[in-house]
Amino acid sequence: MPVLDPNPQNGQKKLLLVFGAMLLVTVVIGVIATIASP
């Protein structure tokens, strides 16, 4: 992976942040759906 070569730590941190954001959005949508459903 030559893109992450110059700064692997920063790239990994950004990737982790994106994954965390996706997971958070999924959880929030799931909670809203659970509350909205009777």
Side-chain angles (χ1 to χ4, degrees):
M1 287 182 270
V3 181
L4 298 178
D5 246 353
N7 45 2
Q9 276 189 328
N10 194 21
Q12 205 171 6
K13 190 177 180 182
K14 190 177 181 182
L15 192 72
L16 195 72
L17 195 75
V18 171
F19 264 75
M22 284 170 57
L23 192 71
L24 190 72
V25 168
T26 306
V27 170
V28 169
I29 289 175
V31 170
I32 291 174
T34 305
I35 294 173
S37 62

